[in-house]
Amino acid sequence: MILDSLFGTRSIENPDTPLTGQTLQDYLHPDNAISVNNANAMTLGAVYSCIYVLSSSIAQLPLHVMRKQGSTIAAATDHPAYWLLHDEPNTWQTSYKWRETKQAHVLGWGNGYTQAVRSNRGELRELVMHRPWMCELVKNGNRWVYSAITEEGRALAIPPEDMIHVRALGSDGRTGISLIRQHAETIGLGLAAQRYGKDFFDGGGRPTGLVTVKDGLNKESWERLKTVWGAAVAKLRQSENKTLMMPADLDYKSITIAPEDAQFLETRKLNRSEVAGIFNVPAHMINDLDKATFSNISEQAIQFVRHTMMPWIRNWEEEINRRIFTRAERIAGYYVKFNLGGLLRGTAKERAEFYHYAITDGWMDRNEVRALEDLNPRDGLDEMLISVNAQPMSQLGKDTNPEDTP
């Protein structure tokens, strides 16, 4: 290694210990190892951005309880779950904050837990979110239960039918695995590059180096040199003057590779792209615009809805449906539905073209269009229109009304 050739193969302090690049790094920074966990992973900008994008996207979508009766579908405002899911699941959270926090739990810890609290008569009363690090699925005899600790320190045993458990990709079929845990090395590389940049600029933007003595040192002199040098460097970092004064019998030689030579910026960009890939988020949505153009951003936005959001939405909908509603209620037609209109909403020109074809093709009336644009209905606009050039296939080739024929 380069450091081996520079310094020889022996340690200054202990000649019996070979000096390599790794041992020198451990000597200079004994606590250098980075342990990746949910807390410090969020300090990496790419991880925070991805979790925020996915969590806020899930949270901003309108969530309704619907009921299908025959061919009619309408909002089931008479069901108690409607207001809990749409407005206020519990005393402390709005529907937006509940879904945003729960999705962040799923992405960070692999699991998001919400207890469906019911009355003695079985009526849904409240949706209480539990912290994933204080809740786990355990087997009690022949039955699985969720063991949860409340903020007050009270232990709960919650049956599976009362726990809305949204999970990430897992291996055992019952719980999810944290994306941060699965990709700790990739995230750790980003954290290491981030810390390297901080240490570099904390040192005044100057590379570190090797201090050598012109004359030999005994053990006592060596210990004193380390103490004095450490104090000088610490004082230098706190001073506006970044010039280090050295005694005449000391020599300083720079040994650190410059950040541009180590491709520091390229490493950070590549890591940002890799993290976006882990969370399946388009790079431009976390402010990585290196290869973005107007045309491919529009296409990536559509791909984001189809291939990133839709799997999570189906995950949420199916889990809520089977835990919120009883079997009899599901048979009666109750279900939950996320409205993707907000994410798919185009420009004013695109919406105008879409509404034009919907009205002239006869599958939307003008008041339905006004409702989608948050406008009040108007009299006389409920009648369906159809283009004069469009007619049923069964009428093709038939004569028109003789009275209308010239």
Side-chain angles (χ1 to χ4, degrees):
M1 297 179 66
I2 297 177
L3 293 176
D4 292 335
S5 61
L6 288 175
F7 306 126
T9 60
R10 298 294 178 182
S11 169
I12 297 176
E13 290 191 284
N14 185 1
D16 295 329
T17 303
L19 182 63
T20 65
Q22 182 61 45
T23 56
L24 179 64
Q25 180 72 359
D26 293 340
Y27 168 71
L28 294 175
H29 302 284
D31 58 345
N32 191 60
I34 294 179
S35 176
V36 179
N37 53 51
N38 297 88
N40 64 8
M42 288 288 283
T43 65
L44 186 64
V47 174
Y48 178 88
S49 297
C50 288
I51 292 179
Y52 173 77
V53 166
L54 291 174
S55 300
S56 60
S57 296
I58 286 287
Q60 70 177 304
L61 295 176
L63 177 59
H64 299 285
V65 175
M66 311 296 291
R67 187 180 186 186
K68 183 176 182 180
Q69 294 179 295
S71 59
T72 303
I73 299 176
T77 56
D78 59 327
H79 197 286
Y82 184 93
W83 303 106
L84 293 178
L85 295 172
H86 184 268
D87 295 299
E88 187 180 15
N90 55 65
T91 305
W92 302 103
Q93 293 175 308
T94 62
S95 179
Y96 180 97
K97 295 306 296 183
W98 166 63
R99 284 180 278 154
E100 181 188 53
T101 307
K102 187 179 176 72
Q103 181 66 20
H105 286 170
V106 177
L107 297 171
W109 284 265
N111 300 276
Y113 302 102
T114 298
Q115 179 187 0
V117 180
R118 306 179 190 274
S119 66
N120 294 333
R121 299 173 56 184
E123 297 176 347
L124 189 64
R125 302 290 297 274
E126 191 178 18
L127 299 177
V128 178
M129 187 178 64
H130 290 282
R131 295 165 294 180
W133 57 92
M134 299 293 287
C135 185
E136 62 177 336
L137 182 63
V138 298
K139 194 170 185 179
N140 184 14
N142 295 326
R143 179 173 172 79
W144 289 92
V145 296
Y146 288 93
S147 175
I149 305 297
T150 66
E151 294 183 359
E152 296 78 18
R154 186 163 54 95
L156 297 176
I158 305 170
E161 56 268 21
D162 288 336
M163 182 68 83
I164 303 173
H165 181 189
V166 179
R167 69 202 76 173
L169 188 66
S171 58
D172 62 0
R174 297 187 181 91
T175 56
I177 302 177
S178 167
L179 273 71
I180 292 175
R181 286 176 52 193
Q182 293 187 75
H183 301 279
E185 290 187 357
T186 301
I187 296 173
L189 174 62
L191 291 172
Q194 181 172 273
R195 188 169 74 177
Y196 172 78
K198 176 182 180 300
D199 292 342
F200 177 78
F201 289 105
D202 279 350
R206 300 293 299 171
T208 57
L210 177 68
V211 177
T212 59
V213 294
K214 298 179 180 179
D215 298 324
L217 287 178
N218 55 34
K219 184 175 181 180
E220 180 180 353
S221 301
W222 168 248
E223 293 295 337
R224 186 175 61 186
L225 173 61
K226 288 199 302 181
T227 302
V228 173
W229 182 261
V233 172
K235 185 176 180 180
L236 176 67
R237 290 178 177 176
Q238 300 174 0
S239 173
E240 294 183 359
N241 180 15
K242 297 301 181 181
T243 302
L244 182 63
M245 305 301 294
M246 302 177 63
D249 56 348
L250 293 181
D251 187 22
Y252 179 86
K253 183 177 181 180
S254 175
I255 63 172
T256 300
I257 301 175
E260 58 272 16
D261 295 334
Q263 295 185 322
F264 170 66
L265 295 179
E266 287 75 8
T267 299
R268 297 205 65 179
K269 289 179 181 179
L270 177 61
N271 184 259
R272 190 174 184 86
S273 178
E274 288 179 335
V275 171
I278 290 171
F279 288 91
N280 198 22
V281 173
H284 76 273
M285 298 192 73
I286 60 172
N287 204 29
D288 185 359
L289 303 175
D290 280 352
K291 299 180 181 180
T293 64
F294 178 79
S295 59
N296 68 20
I297 281 182
S298 299
E299 183 61 27
Q300 286 182 58
I302 298 174
Q303 297 298 318
F304 172 71
V305 175
R306 290 177 179 173
H307 302 297
T308 301
M309 292 303 302
M310 280 305 300
W312 284 115
I313 289 172
R314 287 296 299 273
N315 193 347
W316 274 77
E317 288 179 345
E318 292 182 0
E319 182 65 17
I320 292 175
N321 281 332
R322 73 184 189 128
R323 295 308 185 202
I324 289 293
F325 306 115
T326 64
R327 184 181 297 271
E329 288 176 327
R330 293 198 296 271
I331 293 175
Y334 288 100
Y335 66 97
V336 296
K337 185 71 175 177
F338 282 92
N339 186 353
L340 286 171
L343 290 180
L344 296 175
R345 191 179 182 89
T347 63
K349 180 179 179 181
E350 292 170 336
R351 296 200 309 276
E353 292 177 353
F354 170 77
Y355 294 146
H356 170 76
Y357 288 115
I359 293 172
T360 57
D361 288 347
W363 56 274
M364 284 185 72
D365 65 48
R366 288 162 289 179
N367 272 334
E368 289 175 327
V369 170
R370 294 181 64 84
L372 292 176
E373 291 295 312
D374 297 322
L375 299 174
N376 294 325
R378 292 289 182 89
D379 294 337
L381 298 184
D382 291 327
E383 185 179 2
M384 289 289 191
L385 302 181
I386 189 167
S387 173
V388 296
N389 296 321
Q391 57 180 322
M393 291 184 63
S394 60
Q395 299 298 319
L396 292 177
K398 292 186 177 182
D399 295 332
T400 57
N401 191 330
E403 296 180 359
D404 298 332
T405 303

